[in-house]
Amino acid sequence: MIIVMKPNVNNQDINKVITLVEEHGLKTHLSTGDQITIIGVVGDKSKLLKCNIELLDGVEKIVPVTETYKLANKKFNMTSSVIKVRDVEIGNNNFVIMAGPCAIENEKQIIETAHAIKKSGASILRGGAYKPRTSPYSFQGLEEEGLKYMSKAREETGLPIVCEVTSLKSVETAYKYVDMFQIGARNMQNFYLLKEIGKTNTPVLLKRGLSATIDEWLNAAEYIMSEGNSNVVLCERGIRTFETATRNTLDISAIPIIKQKSHLPIIVDPSHATGKRAYVNPLSKASVAVGADGIMVEVHPNPSVALSDGPQSLPPKEFDALCNELRPFAKLVGKIL
Amino acid sequence: MIIVMKPNVNNQDINKVITLVEEHGLKTHLSTGDQITIIGVVGDKSKLLKCNIELLDGVEKIVPVTETYKLANKKFNMTSSVIKVRDVEIGNNNFVIMAGPCAIENEKQIIETAHAIKKSGASILRGGAYKPRTSPYSFQGLEEEGLKYMSKAREETGLPIVCEVTSLKSVETAYKYVDMFQIGARNMQNFYLLKEIGKTNTPVLLKRGLSATIDEWLNAAEYIMSEGNSNVVLCERGIRTFETATRNTLDISAIPIIKQKSHLPIIVDPSHATGKRAYVNPLSKASVAVGADGIMVEVHPNPSVALSDGPQSLPPKEFDALCNELRPFAKLVGKIL
Amino acid sequence: MIIVMKPNVNNQDINKVITLVEEHGLKTHLSTGDQITIIGVVGDKSKLLKCNIELLDGVEKIVPVTETYKLANKKFNMTSSVIKVRDVEIGNNNFVIMAGPCAIENEKQIIETAHAIKKSGASILRGGAYKPRTSPYSFQGLEEEGLKYMSKAREETGLPIVCEVTSLKSVETAYKYVDMFQIGARNMQNFYLLKEIGKTNTPVLLKRGLSATIDEWLNAAEYIMSEGNSNVVLCERGIRTFETATRNTLDISAIPIIKQKSHLPIIVDPSHATGKRAYVNPLSKASVAVGADGIMVEVHPNPSVALSDGPQSLPPKEFDALCNELRPFAKLVGKIL
Amino acid sequence: MIIVMKPNVNNQDINKVITLVEEHGLKTHLSTGDQITIIGVVGDKSKLLKCNIELLDGVEKIVPVTETYKLANKKFNMTSSVIKVRDVEIGNNNFVIMAGPCAIENEKQIIETAHAIKKSGASILRGGAYKPRTSPYSFQGLEEEGLKYMSKAREETGLPIVCEVTSLKSVETAYKYVDMFQIGARNMQNFYLLKEIGKTNTPVLLKRGLSATIDEWLNAAEYIMSEGNSNVVLCERGIRTFETATRNTLDISAIPIIKQKSHLPIIVDPSHATGKRAYVNPLSKASVAVGADGIMVEVHPNPSVALSDGPQSLPPKEFDALCNELRPFAKLVGKIL
C-alpha cells in the first residue's frame, strides 16, 4: 500500500501518518521528492482497516498494490485447479461443454435435449429451474418440479447437471438434486448467497456480474472459498457496455487475465454474451482458441417455442455441427473434447 | 411491438408471421416499402411470450414500443405517489434528508449521530447492519445487534429508521425493527428478495444497480409492487462508467427521467455516487435543484475511524452546514426542508 | 512513480531497476515486505520515457502518482483563471449563458435568435457552421457563409460569437470571424487541431470527448496551453454509458472534480448531454447549483424545423423562462447572471 | 421508420403527423391499439430531414428501422470486398498479418523489423510517423523523416507499408510514401479527415473509435466511401469499458457482426486492445478462429527501449513463434497465411 501525500504537506502531518501506521505494527518507507511525498507501507494491511488514513490531514490518496483475494489468487496457489463435477473434470487438458435449455419447460424437453447433447459431445447438462427475469411478468421457472426432470435426465444419460440458484431456499432444494450450483450474473455480489453455498461442498459455476471488474469477480469467488468450498469454476458471459448490437460484450481477454491471476478454471457462455444464435459458433471457436476450459451453450429442441431466450438457443442439429467444428480447435490447443 | 422483416422477405414468410400473431388474438398492420417491410402488432404482447417470433424465417428484429412495467408506470398512474415512513412523507413538496453512518458500529455511535442529524434537519436515520462488502475480509456488519441500537436511537429521537436487507433471513429479522427496508445496488436484481419484501407492507428504498438501465430499475420496482407493496422510493446512487475520478458516476438526469416515466418518488445518494466527502455538498445542491425528493447522506461522528466508507462520510458539523446551505435551494424549488 | 515488483523477485532484478532509474538522474526508495517489494521513484519522470521499465525482469506494474498535465493543473497555478471573450468574463463570479442554434441555417434565423437570447440574458451567441454529423448524408453546415451571418448577428447585438472548428482549414477561415473557437467532443483528441489553435490567442471552448476521462480532458487542454494559448474553458457535455434513456450521461460530478484539479473555468451543455428538450431546464438548474461557471444551451426560433438537433433545442420563449428561473439559483451560489 | 405516438393522443395530432409525412412523398401506415398508436413510415427518410417529427404534438418517439449507411452495407452489396494493398489482398481467403513498431524511431530499427517480420510471415509493414499521444510531453513521431525510413524498408523487403495520418497536412505528405493510410481510434469521427482521404484512392485502415458503436463505425466508413474511395478495411482495437485490467476491452463479437452487416474486410489489433504483450498471443488465435481477415501486431526489435507502447510490443522471436502458432488455426478456418 502506498500513501500519496498532498504537494505542500508539512512534516507534522507526515509524521502523524507514519506514527499511526507503525502503531498498528506495519513498516513505512518515506520517499520525499520535489513535487510529491509518498509513504510506502509494508505488512498486513487488514490491521489498518479501521484507520481511514485517507482522511488524515495531508493525505491525497491511497494506492493499493496487492489484491484482496488470497485463496483464489495464483500467487499463493500456483497449481491450476481441476474441479470435479461427478466424473467430469473441469480444468487441466479438458475442454468441457455444458449445454441445455435456458429454462426447463417439461420432462420431455429436458430428456430429449440431454440425449441429443450427450450424443454430440457435451458432458454436463444445464437447465434453468429458477429464472431471474427482468420483468415479473415473464416466465419464472418450474422450480423443484424442473429439478426433478433434470435428475431424471441425469439418470437416463449419466450427464451431471448444473442449475442456477437464486436464494437460500433454492439452494436447500437444489442441493438434493444438482451436481453443480450456478450463480448467475445478477447474483454475483449477493454475498449472503455466496457464503451459503460456500458452506456446501457442491461445485459452483460463478458467472461474472454484468458490470463486475475481474477483481470483484475474484473477490466473489473468495467469498465462496473462504467458507470452505474451493470447487469454483468461473464463467465469462459478457459485460455491459455502450454497444447495443449484442446483448452484452463478451470480454474475451478475461480468459488470459484469469489464467494469469488465478488458478481457477474458466469457461465462456457465448449464448448470453451475445443474445444471438448466429454469433454462438464463431465465439465458441474463439473461446477454444483463447484458452478457455470449456463453454456453456444454450440448446433447445425447438428454439422457436422456447419459454426463455429462444433467439440465442441452438437447435440440436446446429449444436452437433458446432461440436464437430470445435474438435480440431481443441486438438490444436492441446485439449481433449 | 413492431416486427421488422428482412430486406428480401417473401410473402409466405410474411403471412406466416401475421397468422401466428393473429392466432394469439392480436391485430397486425403490414407496411411494405421498397427497402423494408414492417408488421405493427397491437394488443396484449404477453400472449406472444411463447412464440419467439425473432426466430421465424424472414424476421430481422423485434422493436418493442411499450414498457414492461405497469404499476410503476406514470402512464397508468398519473398521480405522484407519496410514501409514508411513519410520520415522514416522501414525495409531494417535501425534501427529505436521510442521514447516518454507513455501518452501525456501537450504541453510542448511532445514538450520538441520530441526535446530531435530527438537530441539523434530517428526518430519517440510516445505518447499515448488514454490509455487502466486495471482500469477505472487510467488516460485515453487526446484524441484529445493530438493529437494536437503531431502534434505541429511534426511541430517543423519534426518527424513523432505514436499514439495508440482503437476504430473506435479514428481512425476517429487520422486519421487527425497521421502518423502511433498503435494497442495495448489488441486490437490485435479486428478484427473490424483491418478491419477499413485496409481500410486506414496509416502505422500501430501492437503489439503482451499478449497471442497471432506468428501465430495469423500474422493472425491479415492479417486482416489489406486483406482490402488493407499492411503497417504493427510488434512490439514484451512481452508475458504473469508465471514469475513475469518482467511485461511480452520478446520473443526475435519472431524476427528471424518472419523474417523467414513473409516479414514484426519487432521492439521491451523493455519498456512494462519488465516494469522496468533498463532492457531497455540491452534488446535494444539484440534487435539490434538479427536482429530487430528498437525499441520503453518510454522516459519522468521527469519519477517520469509521469501519466502512469513512472517506465519503461527513462529520456532524459539515452535515449541519450542508443542511443550512440546502434550505434556500429547497425553498427555490418549492420544497419544504 | 511507484514500481511494484513481482512476488518472488530476486535481488539482482531489483538492483537492475534501481540502477537504471538512478542512471537517469532520479532517486529511488526501496520498500521490502513479506509479500511485496516496491520501489518509489522521485524526480523528473520524463527522463525515463525511453526506459519501458514495465518490461524489465521482475517488474509487475508501474503506478503513477502525479498527473502528466502541468499548465492546466491547479497544483501549479492556484488562482482560478478568468477567460475573456471580448468583454465577457468566464470564471470568477460570473455565470455565463451561451445560446443559439445547433446549426446556422440562414441570416434571418441567426439574427432573430441573437436578439432573442440577448434579451433573455445570454451573453455569448453560439452557432454551428461546420457540423460533424455521424452520417455523411446529414446536413453538414453552411461553412464560411454561416460565419458571415454570425458576424452580422454580433454587429447587431454586440454579443461575442463561438463556433466549432473541425480542421486547420476551418480554423484559418473562422479565425477572421469568431471570438471563441469550440472544439467538439469528437475532436477532443484531434491533437493536431489542438496544437494549431494553441498557436492562436483566440479563447477556446474545449468539450469533453464522448469517452474521455477527466485526466485525458485536462491533457487535451494541456496540448492547447503548451503551444502558448492559455485561454481555455472546459465544457462537460455528457459521456457515453450503457444508459439509453438519454443521448449521453451528464457527468455532473465533473464540475467539482475540475474545480479541484484545475484552475480553468468549466461550463455545462445540458442540450447535448441529454438530447431532449424536457431535461434542459432541470439540468441547467443543477449546473448552477453544483458550481459551474456557465451553460451552453441550444435555442432555435422554431425547433420543429431545425436542420440539426431540433429535439433538444428550446424555443426562445422557453429559453427566456429558463433564464428567469436560473437567476435566483445563481444568486444563491454567489454568482452574477 | 416508426413513429410512436403518446398514449392519449388525439386524432387531430395523428392526422397532422400523417399529413406532414405524406406531403414529403412518403407513405404511412397507421396502427391503433388500446394502449398505443404507431405510424409506420415507408420511403426515402432523407426527405424528412428537416421535419423534426419528434417535436410535433402527440409524438412520443421515433424508432429507426434501417441503417443510415448504404455503400458499406451488405444489404446493398452482397459480395465480400477484397482490398488490394499493392500485391497483398485483404479479404477473401487470406489471413493478413501487419506488423511493425508503434513508432518509427530510426532507419535501422524499421529496416531490421521489416526483415524480421517478413521472414516470419507478415505481409504488410506498419510503423507510426505521426503519433497521437494523450500527453503533449510524450514522443510525437518523426513525421516525414519516418516515412522515408518506411519507404526504404519497403524497397529492401518489398512489403507494402501502412502509416497513420492525423491531419490533411500529414495526408498530403504521407500520400507520396505509403500504400495504406491508417485512421486511428481518436480520429474515427474526424469527418473532415475522412472526407479528405475519401478523395484519394489509397486503401484505408479504419480503426474503431474508443467508444464508437458498430453503427457509427460503419457510418465513418461511409464518409470515406461516399467521396469515392471504397478501399476500406476495418480494424477492431478494443473499446472503452469500466474494466481496468486491460487498456481497452477487445470486442471480439464485432467481427461476426461486421461480417453480417457489411461487405468490408475486418482485422483485429490485439496489441492496442489489451496494452499487454502477454495477451497478444491468445487474442491473435481467437481472432483467427472468430473469422477475422487479419491482425495488426506491434513488433519492436527491443521492446524495453521502445519510444512508444513498449509494454505491448513483441520482440521478433516471440512474433515468429506467434506466426507459426497461428498457421494451423488459419488452415482450420480455411484461410491462407
Side-chain angles (χ1 to χ4, degrees), chain C residues 56-241:
Chain C
L56 294 180
D57 290 332
V59 174
E60 183 161 314
K61 62 178 170 184
I62 303 293
V63 181
V65 294
T66 48
E67 295 90 0
T68 51
Y69 51 93
K70 303 291 169 200
L71 302 170
N73 200 323
K74 200 172 184 175
K75 280 183 193 150
F76 310 113
N77 305 268
M78 313 284 255
T79 322
S80 294
S81 291
V82 177
I83 309 300
K84 274 194 77 165
V85 183
R86 294 216 160 197
D87 291 340
V88 178
E89 290 187 347
I90 308 176
N92 225 340
N93 294 328
N94 301 304
F95 190 84
V96 172
I97 300 182
M98 308 183 185
C102 183
I104 305 159
E105 293 165 16
N106 54 59
E107 191 177 318
K108 185 172 169 292
Q109 171 230 28
I110 193 71
I111 291 181
E112 200 179 312
T113 309
H115 281 296
I117 64 156
K118 188 185 179 182
K119 210 177 130 193
S120 299
S123 49
I124 296 182
L125 176 67
R126 64 148 288 159
Y130 302 89
K131 301 303 308 167
R133 303 295 294 270
T134 303
S135 164
Y137 308 121
S138 298
F139 176 62
Q140 310 271 323
L142 292 183
E143 309 199 349
E144 186 161 7
E145 190 191 343
L147 296 175
K148 285 180 181 161
Y149 300 152
M150 285 290 276
S151 308
K152 201 147 184 193
R154 175 179 51 204
E155 257 173 62
E156 291 214 8
T157 60
L159 293 175
I161 59 179
V162 55
C163 290
E164 180 168 0
V165 284
T166 58
S167 65
L168 175 56
K169 204 177 129 199
S170 62
V171 170
E172 285 166 353
T173 306
Y175 184 74
K176 297 171 281 178
Y177 298 97
V178 309
D179 303 304
M180 185 177 215
F181 290 134
Q182 178 183 312
I183 297 293
R186 288 175 186 79
N187 282 308
M188 192 205 85
Q189 292 199 316
N190 183 342
F191 300 124
Y192 176 78
L193 187 60
L194 298 179
K195 283 192 232 175
E196 289 301 326
I197 60 167
K199 292 170 190 159
T200 73
N201 56 4
T202 304
V204 183
L205 185 66
L206 178 65
K207 290 200 159 186
R208 182 178 183 180
L210 274 78
S211 68
T213 62
I214 286 173
D215 221 63
E216 289 170 337
W217 192 14
L218 288 170
N219 268 297
E222 191 81 6
Y223 260 97
I224 301 168
M225 298 171 85
S226 66
E227 296 288 333
N229 186 349
S230 54
N231 300 309
V232 178
V233 175
L234 302 167
C235 179
E236 161 67 32
R237 45 77 73 207
I239 57 174
R240 184 156 276 184
T241 71

Side-chain angles (χ1 to χ4, degrees), chain C residues 100-103 105-106 108-114 116-117 277 298-319, chain D residues 16 20 49-57:
Chain C
C102 183
E105 293 165 16
N106 54 59
K108 185 172 169 292
Q109 171 230 28
I110 193 71
I111 291 181
E112 200 179 312
T113 309
I117 64 156
R277 190 202 292 178
E298 295 204 348
V299 176
H300 192 283
N302 189 357
S304 66
V305 298
L307 289 184
S308 176
D309 285 342
Q312 72 200 33
S313 298
L314 298 185
K317 207 175 150 181
E318 279 188 40
F319 175 69
Chain D
K16 231 174 178 172
L20 180 72
L49 262 183
K50 305 189 188 178
C51 292
N52 283 310
I53 291 163
E54 272 160 292
L55 294 178
L56 295 179
D57 289 332

Side-chain angles (χ1 to χ4, degrees), chain D residues 23-324:
Chain D
E23 275 173 8
H24 284 81
L26 294 91
K27 285 189 289 179
T28 60
H29 288 81
L30 180 69
S31 308
T32 314
D34 284 347
Q35 286 177 18
I36 205 96
T37 297
I38 60 176
I39 301 170
V41 175
V42 176
D44 179 3
K45 273 185 308 178
S46 66
K47 293 178 185 163
L48 295 174
L49 262 183
K50 305 189 188 178
C51 292
N52 283 310
I53 291 163
E54 272 160 292
L55 294 178
L56 295 179
D57 289 332
V59 174
E60 182 162 312
K61 62 179 170 185
I62 304 293
V63 181
V65 294
T66 47
E67 295 90 1
T68 51
Y69 52 93
K70 304 290 170 202
L71 301 171
N73 200 323
K74 200 172 185 173
K75 280 183 193 151
F76 309 115
N77 305 269
M78 312 286 253
T79 321
S80 294
S81 293
V82 177
I83 309 301
K84 275 193 78 167
V85 182
R86 293 215 160 196
D87 290 340
V88 179
E89 289 187 349
I90 307 176
N92 225 340
N93 293 330
N94 302 303
F95 189 84
V96 173
I97 301 182
M98 307 184 185
C102 184
I104 305 159
E105 294 166 17
N106 54 59
E107 192 178 318
K108 184 171 170 294
Q109 171 228 29
I110 193 72
I111 290 181
E112 201 178 312
T113 308
H115 280 295
I117 63 157
K118 188 186 178 183
K119 209 176 130 194
S120 298
S123 49
I124 296 182
L125 176 67
R126 62 148 290 158
Y130 302 89
K131 302 303 308 167
R133 303 296 295 271
T134 304
S135 163
Y137 308 122
S138 298
F139 176 61
Q140 310 271 321
L142 293 183
E143 309 199 349
E144 188 161 7
E145 190 191 343
L147 297 174
K148 285 180 182 162
Y149 299 152
M150 286 290 276
S151 309
K152 201 146 182 193
R154 176 179 50 203
E155 257 172 61
E156 292 213 8
T157 60
L159 295 174
I161 58 179
V162 55
C163 291
E164 180 167 359
V165 283
T166 58
S167 64
L168 176 55
K169 205 176 129 198
S170 61
V171 170
E172 285 165 353
T173 306
Y175 184 74
K176 296 171 282 177
Y177 298 97
V178 309
D179 303 305
M180 185 178 216
F181 290 135
Q182 178 182 313
I183 298 293
R186 289 176 184 79
N187 281 309
M188 192 205 85
Q189 291 199 316
N190 183 342
F191 300 125
Y192 176 78
L193 186 61
L194 299 178
K195 282 192 233 174
E196 289 300 326
I197 60 167
K199 290 171 190 158
T200 73
N201 56 5
T202 303
V204 183
L205 184 67
L206 178 64
K207 290 200 157 186
R208 182 178 183 181
L210 275 77
S211 67
T213 62
I214 286 172
D215 222 63
E216 289 170 337
W217 192 13
L218 288 170
N219 268 296
E222 192 81 6
Y223 260 97
I224 299 168
M225 297 171 84
S226 66
E227 296 289 332
N229 185 349
S230 53
N231 301 309
V232 178
V233 176
L234 302 167
C235 178
E236 162 66 33
R237 44 79 71 207
I239 56 173
R240 185 157 275 186
T241 71
F242 59 83
E243 179 57 68
T244 54
T246 39
R247 191 197 281 190
N248 298 289
T249 297
L250 179 68
D251 182 6
I252 192 98
S253 315
I255 290 91
I257 297 171
I258 289 289
K259 290 283 167 201
Q260 198 173 60
K261 288 178 177 266
S262 178
H263 53 91
L264 298 174
I266 176 168
I267 69 165
V268 172
D269 176 347
S271 307
H272 282 91
T274 61
K276 287 189 187 157
R277 191 202 292 178
Y279 306 145
V280 171
N281 185 304
L283 292 182
S284 295
K285 288 173 184 161
S287 302
V288 184
V290 89
D293 296 301
I295 51 172
M296 177 181 245
V297 178
E298 296 204 348
V299 176
H300 192 283
N302 189 356
S304 66
V305 298
L307 290 184
S308 177
D309 285 342
Q312 72 200 32
S313 298
L314 297 185
K317 207 176 148 180
E318 279 189 40
F319 175 69
D320 190 60
L322 173 66
C323 291
N324 287 331

Side-chain angles (χ1 to χ4, degrees), chain A residues 50-52 55 133 137 140 167 186 189-190 192 211 216 219 222-223 240 277 303-304 306-307, chain B residues 50-52 55 133-134 137 140 167 186 189-190 192 195 211 216 222-223 240 277 303-304 306-307:
Chain A
K50 304 189 188 177
C51 292
N52 283 308
L55 294 178
R133 303 296 294 270
Y137 308 121
Q140 310 272 322
S167 64
R186 288 176 184 78
Q189 291 199 316
N190 183 342
Y192 176 78
S211 69
E216 289 170 338
N219 268 297
E222 191 82 6
Y223 260 97
R240 185 156 276 186
R277 190 202 293 179
S304 66
L307 289 184
Chain B
K50 305 188 188 177
C51 293
N52 283 310
L55 294 179
R133 303 296 294 270
T134 303
Y137 309 121
Q140 309 272 323
S167 64
R186 288 176 185 78
Q189 291 199 317
N190 183 341
Y192 176 78
K195 283 193 232 175
S211 68
E216 289 170 337
E222 192 82 5
Y223 260 97
R240 185 156 277 186
R277 191 202 291 178
S304 66
L307 290 184

